[in-house]
Amino acid sequence: MSNEIEIGRGKRARRAYSFDDIAVVPSRRTRDPEEVSVSWQIDAYHFDLPVLAAPMDSVMSPATAVALGRAGGLGVLDLEGLWTRYEDPEPLLAEITQLDPAEATARMQQIYAAPIDPELIRLRLGQIREAGVTVAGALSPQRTQEFWKVVVDAGVDLFVIRGTTVSAEHVSGRAEPLNLKRFIYELDVPVIVGGASTYTAALHLMRTGAAGVLVGFGGGAAHTTRTTLGIHAPMATALADVAAARRDYLDESGGRYVHVIADGGVGRSGDLVRAIACGADAVMLGAALARASDAPGAGWHWGSEAHHPHLPRGERVRVGQVGSLDEVLFGPGKTADGTLNLIGALRRAMATTGYSDLKEFQRVELVVSPYQPR
């Protein structure tokens, strides 16, 4: 049965679903939440939590990357952010939180116009490594060729290439584009790359040798991509499509498993549950962690799209503070809005539906919700 809809006589479109459109269905079995495993592994690195922090200045500093690592997740530092442009970015972080909304974008463009300092890349990654946690840093595809050697020499464990969209085949008549397949093949560390939002795009990224694929396209709380570019990829459908690509690539490659990571739209615990249910192995959290009282953004959230020098596709948004990082992840919850105890909610959902680990939970039954939640 086709789910295509006729837009007009000359155009049809496929119906796609966001997390709010779907729900998980209980099964005949339930479990004790304490007996549920939420751990996962990518390459040689094992994590107790299926949580990566988005490489955004409002979410990650070297200190918060260490804190998340010690909690069992993976903090990914933005290697094009304030921490690699300024020796002391704290005053600028504080300034950004106080900016008048009418002036915020222009002033952030000025702040982020400072050059990236390779020595600061080495210093920040070194700070994380000294703490004894897994080290991960992110560059955009445009900056990867310029700084990848600095990042690898600094001792990064996982290299993240992250953009609004990343393709395995970028066409440019002005400069030689990054050859992902050659780059990943020659690199000595596993690479997570994205975003991708379709079966075909994800399959091509998997064929480059990536260890993980980020799924999403401008769907985060601080993005305005749909407004500025008219492009949007509802996350439930995008994840299910990319999970299908992972399954087919597993057969094509003779058993090579590429991890699927939801990146965008996972703002509350119910979104985390549904992301795993749609096929994600882990989630990359931005706004959800920016709400922590110890996050660098002090209750504000923004990404690199918010200060793009030519075409901003994001905003600095107020997300508030709901509790410490530990409370956001593990509770106790003091509200019923899904902003606290994300891991407890995931455990409870898995236990309620009878699944013991994340791979099993990816097989849970879903329905299209007949209502819109509050």
Side-chain angles (χ1 to χ4, degrees):
M1 183 176 62
S2 173
N3 64 345
E4 283 196 344
I5 298 169
E6 185 176 285
I7 304 299
R9 292 192 179 211
K11 199 73 172 179
R12 298 181 68 84
R14 186 165 66 112
R15 176 71 169 92
Y17 298 94
S18 68
F19 291 139
D20 281 345
D21 294 322
I22 64 169
V24 171
V25 179
S27 69
R28 62 180 177 85
R29 181 185 294 116
T30 56
R31 294 183 182 273
D32 186 330
E34 297 306 314
E35 297 175 3
V36 166
S37 171
V38 295
S39 67
W40 74 299
Q41 182 163 329
I42 180 168
D43 203 82
Y45 302 98
H46 176 89
F47 300 97
D48 293 334
L49 310 179
V51 171
L52 297 80
M56 305 166 92
D57 281 338
S58 57
V59 179
M60 280 290 102
S61 66
T64 52
V66 169
L68 182 59
R70 288 174 173 166
L74 177 65
V76 184
L77 191 67
D78 180 8
L79 301 180
E80 301 173 37
L82 297 180
W83 292 94
T84 59
R85 297 175 191 262
Y86 298 93
E87 287 192 18
D88 181 13
E90 297 283 0
L92 292 168
L93 285 165
E95 179 186 347
I96 290 172
T97 67
Q98 300 299 317
L99 290 173
D100 183 281
E103 303 171 356
T105 297
R107 176 56 182 146
M108 289 171 70
Q109 287 173 323
Q110 294 174 349
I111 291 172
Y112 281 91
I116 297 168
D117 184 344
E119 288 304 314
L120 288 178
I121 292 178
R122 294 187 183 93
L123 175 65
R124 304 311 183 194
L125 293 176
Q127 289 175 305
I128 300 171
R129 174 163 294 284
E130 287 172 6
V133 300
T134 304
V135 183
L139 290 172
S140 65
Q142 296 83 357
R143 296 281 193 174
T144 295
Q145 296 200 94
E146 184 178 358
F147 292 112
W148 72 267
K149 194 173 189 310
V150 175
V151 175
V152 173
D153 289 347
V156 73
D157 295 313
L158 288 163
F159 196 123
V160 179
I161 301 175
R162 183 178 186 260
T164 304
T165 186
V166 177
S167 69
E169 183 181 351
H170 178 69
V171 180
S172 174
R174 296 182 301 156
E176 182 182 355
L178 175 67
N179 185 321
L180 269 177
K181 189 168 186 176
R182 185 178 64 198
F183 174 79
I184 292 173
Y185 177 78
E186 294 175 352
L187 211 60
D188 290 330
V189 298
V191 176
I192 299 171
V193 62
S197 56
T198 66
Y199 172 94
T200 302
L203 186 60
H204 281 282
L205 287 179
M206 292 172 186
R207 289 170 176 163
T208 66
V213 171
L214 299 171
V215 180
F217 187 97
H223 286 75
T224 59
T225 308
R226 183 170 183 169
T227 302
T228 54
L229 299 184
I231 304 176
H232 180 56
M235 280 296 291
T237 296
L239 278 169
D241 284 347
V242 175
R246 175 185 59 201
R247 176 200 63 208
D248 292 347
Y249 179 70
L250 189 69
D251 292 338
E252 172 189 306
S253 63
R256 184 172 182 273
Y257 188 91
V258 179
H259 292 81
V260 172
I261 301 165
D263 180 14
V266 188
R268 298 174 188 268
S269 57
D271 302 323
L272 167 56
V273 169
R274 288 174 286 204
I276 303 294
C278 287
D281 296 292
V283 298
M284 179 169 272
L285 300 180
L289 298 183
R291 296 189 187 103
S293 56
D294 34 357
W300 291 88
H301 182 45
W302 66 92
S304 59
E305 297 82 5
H307 51 77
H308 190 281
H310 307 298
L311 184 62
R313 302 180 302 281
E315 296 176 321
R316 182 204 60 161
V317 296
R318 177 72 177 169
V319 295
Q321 295 177 309
V322 297
S324 67
L325 175 63
D326 198 61
E327 289 172 321
V328 168
L329 292 172
F330 306 114
K334 299 185 284 288
T335 62
D337 61 0
T339 59
L340 292 167
N341 200 1
L342 304 183
I343 302 305
L346 176 59
R347 286 184 178 276
R348 177 70 62 176
M350 292 170 64
T352 300
T353 53
Y355 294 91
S356 62
D357 60 44
L358 297 177
K359 293 305 300 178
E360 281 192 0
F361 190 57
Q362 290 173 351
R363 301 196 299 265
V364 70
E365 182 182 351
L366 296 173
V367 293
V368 176
S369 303
Y371 62 89
Q372 286 294 325
R374 290 182 298 171

